[in-house]
Amino acid sequence: MPLYDYECDACGSKTEEFGHMADPPLDKCPICGKLKLRRLIGCPALHTDTSYIAGIGTLQDQFDNEGELMRVVNAAKKNGYTPKATDIYEPGMANKCGDPAAFVPHTDPKTHIRRVCEKRDVTCHGAVEVKRKGK
């Protein structure tokens, strides 16, 4: 289950919450109670290839049930990508279910994530070091 970052536009508090990929984003701030909570979108912070893939496992290991795995794999195939068993699925990088960009190769995850961030003009932190254009 992915971990999502949230920030409240009312009180400025930041929080992390686990949620299923199919769940809608939270909107109520756990601190002030206002409906101003906003999910932050970004790429994961990476330090080394080894630390990124350690403990993640294969695609099969990442999903609690076979049905959810097949839903994501079938969506990727409809989007023109056939996932490899050694891929790592990073839902925080997916614009939609099965987004081919969210399938990170285990052999060079930093390069893949850097390319996706640069293409989308998204800031990445950690060893990837991609800054938004013009900022």
Side-chain angles (χ1 to χ4, degrees):
M1 193 170 353
L3 180 66
Y4 294 103
D5 293 318
Y6 288 88
E7 184 174 5
C8 179
D9 289 332
C11 70
S13 65
K14 292 184 179 182
T15 185
E16 294 178 331
E17 299 290 335
F18 284 103
H20 291 284
M21 291 184 302
D23 291 345
L26 301 176
D27 56 0
K28 185 175 181 180
C29 177
I31 306 300
C32 71
K34 294 185 179 175
L35 297 174
K36 295 287 186 172
L37 199 61
R38 174 173 47 93
R39 186 164 76 185
L40 304 174
I41 305 297
C43 293
L46 304 178
H47 300 288
T48 67
D49 292 350
T50 304
S51 67
Y52 179 64
I53 63 172
I56 294 177
T58 65
L59 273 177
Q60 184 73 40
D61 297 331
Q62 288 183 267
F63 290 89
D64 292 337
N65 66 58
E66 185 73 21
E68 183 66 16
L69 171 62
M70 292 313 299
R71 185 177 75 82
V72 171
V73 168
N74 288 335
K77 288 179 180 178
K78 286 180 184 175
N79 290 311
Y81 180 74
T82 301
K84 297 169 189 65
T86 56
D87 283 348
I88 300 161
Y89 186 67
E90 182 55 61
M93 292 177 57
N95 285 333
K96 58 185 175 182
C97 180
D99 183 351
F103 290 90
V104 181
H106 79 285
T107 54
D108 193 5
K110 290 191 298 183
T111 300
H112 174 82
I113 291 171
R114 184 182 304 115
R115 285 183 187 139
V116 172
C117 290
E118 287 172 347
K119 182 178 178 182
R120 295 180 178 173
D121 192 24
V122 173
T123 302
C124 293
H125 302 284
V128 175
E129 296 299 328
V130 175
K131 305 290 184 194
R132 286 182 179 253
K133 294 176 186 168
K135 296 186 182 186

